[in-house]
Amino acid sequence: MEILKKAFGRYETNCYIVKSAYGDFIIDPGENSTSWVLENINNPIAILNTHGHFDHIWCNAELKEKLNIPIFCPKEDSFMLKSDCFELGLTPKAPDIEVENNEVFYFNTKGLVDSNGADSIKIEYMFFPGHTPGCSMIKIGDFIFSGDFIFRRSIGRSDFPYSSDDLMQDSLKRFGEISYDMVLHPGHGESTTIKAEQGNLRFFIK
């Protein structure tokens, strides 16, 4: 699996392209990311949003029009895709799939399939609300895309509209209970690992 990454927009939001044997997944296409995405994809299969903030979904509508592939977004954040709720000039585009908490999907070369098979790839949404009501990490193979939940030596803010300190604290505690280690690719900044960030949780929870 190959991972391409580039930061876009006023908040330098990381857009990822995950190239697999089953197709290319686009994760969090931020402002002005469309040209880069189109130049670097071969077999686009889905757009995956970690959450609904505008800087992670800005080019959803444009890429949907050009590629005609499904948009996946956590159900609790879908309202942010359906309207320009922050009045920033976003082109609304409702998600095709409103992802339930901790929902798992399987894809093969033809797209979304009903169940896991020998010739498919697993996409797992890991629900960690607080930064937004539906904030999630996305697990693909041996990598996790942590959106704005966990960064290198930092966490997502919980003082925005629709954020929650209580939910963030609960999510951080659950993150601390993860027993395995994997690489985390965040929505902003450099990559890190689960174990590295678990070591910082006491400070952030406090």
Side-chain angles (χ1 to χ4, degrees):
M1 198 162 64
E2 180 184 6
I3 297 172
L4 305 181
K5 166 189 169 183
K6 189 171 182 179
F8 291 94
R10 67 197 85 174
Y11 297 113
E12 296 190 347
T13 304
N14 291 334
C15 176
Y16 295 95
I17 298 174
V18 180
K19 291 178 169 289
S20 76
Y22 308 95
D24 301 342
F25 298 93
I26 303 160
I27 299 177
D28 289 353
E31 294 177 275
N32 304 316
S33 64
T34 296
S35 294
W36 178 78
V37 169
L38 295 177
E39 289 169 2
N40 287 280
I41 52 174
N42 298 316
N43 180 26
I45 198 166
I47 298 167
L48 309 176
N49 295 140
T50 58
H51 64 293
H53 275 160
F54 70 93
D55 58 316
H56 293 255
I57 67 168
W58 193 271
C59 287
N60 274 7
E62 191 172 22
L63 287 170
K64 172 70 176 183
E65 180 181 359
K66 292 179 179 297
L67 301 175
N68 193 30
I69 56 176
I71 298 170
F72 290 68
C73 180
K75 183 177 181 179
E76 289 82 357
D77 282 9
S78 63
F79 71 95
M80 299 185 201
L81 279 66
K82 296 175 181 177
S83 68
D84 183 16
C85 60
F86 296 106
E87 298 183 350
L88 294 167
L90 172 76
T91 301
K93 188 63 181 179
D96 299 280
I97 305 292
E98 296 187 358
V99 181
E100 301 287 349
N101 300 351
N102 301 314
E103 192 167 3
V104 174
F105 302 93
Y106 299 95
F107 292 82
N108 62 20
T109 54
K110 296 181 180 179
L112 189 63
V113 293
D114 292 334
S115 61
N116 190 17
D119 191 26
S120 65
I121 187 171
K122 179 181 179 181
I123 307 293
E124 179 180 356
Y125 267 78
M126 305 169 70
F127 186 57
F128 289 102
H131 179 66
T132 65
C135 190
S136 298
M137 303 198 299
I138 301 173
K139 184 178 179 182
I140 307 177
D142 295 329
F143 302 96
I144 293 177
F145 299 87
S146 58
D148 282 4
F149 172 50
I150 293 285
F151 307 116
R152 182 175 181 266
R153 299 179 181 174
S154 187
I155 62 172
R157 290 174 57 173
S158 57
D159 59 342
F160 290 142
Y162 315 114
S163 299
S164 167
D165 287 335
D166 291 340
L167 288 177
M168 176 61 86
Q169 189 170 86
D170 178 70
S171 290
L172 292 173
K173 290 176 181 177
R174 288 192 294 107
F175 178 80
E177 296 170 356
I178 297 175
S179 60
Y180 54 85
D181 196 18
M182 292 181 72
V183 175
L184 297 177
H185 294 290
H188 305 268
E190 302 174 8
S191 298
T192 183
T193 66
I194 291 174
K195 292 300 182 184
E197 299 316 315
Q198 284 177 331
N200 299 321
L201 289 181
R202 181 178 299 179
F203 171 79
F204 291 118
I205 291 172
K206 182 178 180 180

